[in-house]
Amino acid sequence: LMLVQQGTPELLFLDAETGKPLKAPERTGVLSFVATGKSERTMIGYAPSGLLSYWDLESGKEIRRFIVPDRIGSPVLFGNNRFLVGIDPRGLVVLDAVSGNIIARDRRISQGKVLNLPGEAPELLCITPDADASRVYHVAISVQGKLELKTQWPVPLPWQDLMSATLTSDAVILGTLDGSVWIGKKDEKGGFMQERRQEPVIDIAATASFLAFLTKEETLGFIPLDYTQLLDKMVIPLSAAPYTRLASDPDAGETDTEGLLLWHEETAASLPRFMTLGEASSGESLVLDQLSRRFPLRSVALRGEAALFLDASGNITMLSARTGERLFSFASVAALDAALLKDGNILIGQSVIAGNTPFLMVNSRTGETLPLTLSASVGARVYCGASGVPYGVTVDPQEGRLNTTIIQLSLANPSRSSPVAVYPGEDTGFGMAEVQGSLVAALGGETAVRYGSKRKDALERTEGFPLRLIDGGSYCLVLDTEGTIAWYDPASGTLLACFHVYEYEWILEKPGYPLIRGGFKAAPQGEQAES
């Protein structure tokens, strides 16, 4: 990595992996342009005083220099680094970068900037002022070494606003300072490309037949859990939902009624809401107003009739999701996460202070506590999926650094708990889900991995990093940091489909198949489930 500070003789080389300073070439004077060769063994530099020079990067010595025109602005290498071009007081000037000789000039281009084009062809774009707008020239060096004007476009933008460029067979595409894209075609009036930005999905939850999603714009939608049931031109209802998180019952397939819990991580203004879904329900919802919201919620779990809440102060509250009545409460200032087990007991992950164990099991009927003694500093996360197997995540120092470990917990005999995966660093916010009896986790943040009994298999990556992992029955569902929902084959890790939400439409991508598109409509309150 090479850094040059305009207007000063400072030149700094950094190791791109470690960031440590490296030896820089010995030189004097100010450089306005520097670049390395493809082998990174030599460096070329241009000084506004009119000096073009080369250095050997291994020795740091100057190996040759040429006297060239001074005050060249917007210098750019092009044509496989064979030519150096820029604009000096006498117009556009093209130099042979090997010899320093002037190859061509064009006095029509006396102001503005030069933009390089992708590829190694000896061509580029020159942008000059044209009254209150700009003019873009496409120029190239011919086989005979002559400067040729291939075409030009008027652009209704100041030349200072044009930052990048590329060409197609019949158009120029320009990127602007504010992030928009302008397209100009031959003999046609140009214009800005219409922007279609993806609406980020911030959370998802799966029931036995539905996949629910929340968007950043505080809307809630439902689609079939099986992506093959999404049909072209299908209209998906959306409703207003002032929530940031969703939770569903991992045992939903064992009951006739499917439920969904909606909650907000931070604000106390939006009380959690339980919504019933499916053919056996009427789409009713219940506000759980028996929950104190003095503190932000840290975690929420749903299992059967019970809804479990842990706030940032360590208060644990269990409510009936059907009636809203309080079923159980418990307090632990060290609590970091809580999960509901299949037998109705509560598994708590906690910091090891004042003699605490990293995990604690609480009987929700009697209040009896059972410490789970393990050698760890922090029980940062707990999880229990459809199989009922409990998992815990610990963080503890080892050999001078923090290690994060996923552990399959043995509640009857904690000493027989077994590690599933270890990450050499601290990561407590990764996605984790049990799918078809195997744990899938994105420990480390870069990709999701399925941990089988004898091997581990990485899931294919989408454009974003995995954020949420969900048990989708026949599928492993992943929500990535770009807001894309992806379906995976849990056995092979193969990416099956991707669902994208935009302002006015949704798109389903299936590798090897045409895109499927549909729209949205606003759903009246209470009609989401029926739709």
Side-chain angles (χ1 to χ4, degrees), residues 273-350:
R273 180 183 296 270
F274 178 76
M275 181 181 294
T276 54
L277 311 169
E279 295 181 359
S281 73
S282 58
E284 297 176 348
S285 64
L286 174 68
V287 176
L288 302 178
D289 56 5
Q290 295 301 306
L291 179 70
S292 172
R293 288 306 313 270
R294 292 178 56 197
F295 305 100
L297 290 175
R298 179 168 279 164
S299 69
V300 170
L302 178 66
R303 199 162 209 132
E305 184 182 335
L308 185 71
F309 301 90
L310 167 65
D311 68 23
S313 186
N315 298 306
I316 295 175
T317 306
M318 183 188 291
L319 302 178
S320 169
R322 310 297 174 181
T323 66
E325 66 176 312
R326 186 183 294 262
L327 303 176
F328 179 75
S329 60
F330 185 82
S332 170
V333 293
L336 301 175
D337 197 13
L340 275 170
L341 304 180
K342 265 187 170 295
D343 58 7
N345 288 333
I346 302 169
L347 179 62
I348 300 172
Q350 56 187 4

Side-chain angles (χ1 to χ4, degrees), residues 332-337 348-360 371-381 393-397 407:
S332 170
V333 293
L336 301 175
D337 197 13
I348 300 172
Q350 56 187 4
S351 60
V352 182
I353 58 174
N356 289 335
T357 56
F359 302 104
L360 177 70
L372 304 179
T373 303
L374 289 172
S375 178
S377 300
V378 177
R381 296 271 301 279
V393 177
T394 63
V395 177
D396 58 309
I407 300 173

Side-chain angles (χ1 to χ4, degrees), residues 167-347:
L167 289 174
T168 65
S169 59
D170 64 344
V172 60
I173 303 173
L174 302 170
T176 67
L177 187 63
D178 64 1
S180 57
V181 177
W182 188 89
I183 302 177
K185 294 188 175 181
K186 295 177 182 178
D187 304 322
E188 293 183 21
K189 185 178 180 180
F192 287 98
M193 180 183 293
Q194 289 186 342
E195 293 185 76
R196 190 189 64 178
R197 298 184 178 179
Q198 186 169 332
E199 296 283 346
V201 174
I202 59 174
D203 203 6
I204 57 175
T207 69
S209 54
F210 295 101
L211 175 62
F213 63 90
L214 278 173
T215 73
K216 193 175 182 181
E217 300 301 318
E218 295 188 342
T219 56
L220 172 68
F222 294 90
I223 58 177
L225 182 60
D226 184 354
Y227 69 91
T228 63
Q229 295 180 25
L230 281 166
L231 305 178
D232 202 39
K233 299 181 181 179
M234 180 183 286
V235 177
I236 297 172
L238 294 179
S239 59
Y243 303 100
T244 61
R245 294 296 306 275
L246 299 170
S248 58
D249 182 358
D251 301 331
E254 302 174 8
T255 62
D256 294 330
T257 303
E258 303 175 51
L260 184 70
L261 196 60
L262 299 95
W263 52 288
H264 201 291
E265 286 179 295
E266 298 177 359
T267 179
S270 297
L271 286 167
R273 180 183 296 270
F274 178 76
M275 181 181 294
T276 54
L277 311 169
E279 295 181 359
S281 73
S282 58
E284 297 176 348
S285 64
L286 174 68
V287 176
L288 302 178
D289 56 5
Q290 295 301 306
L291 179 70
S292 172
R293 288 306 313 270
R294 292 178 56 197
F295 305 100
L297 290 175
R298 179 168 279 164
S299 69
V300 170
L302 178 66
R303 199 162 209 132
E305 184 182 335
L308 185 71
F309 301 90
L310 167 65
D311 68 23
S313 186
N315 298 306
I316 295 175
T317 306
M318 183 188 291
L319 302 178
S320 169
R322 310 297 174 181
T323 66
E325 66 176 312
R326 186 183 294 262
L327 303 176
F328 179 75
S329 60
F330 185 82
S332 170
V333 293
L336 301 175
D337 197 13
L340 275 170
L341 304 180
K342 265 187 170 295
D343 58 7
N345 288 333
I346 302 169
L347 179 62

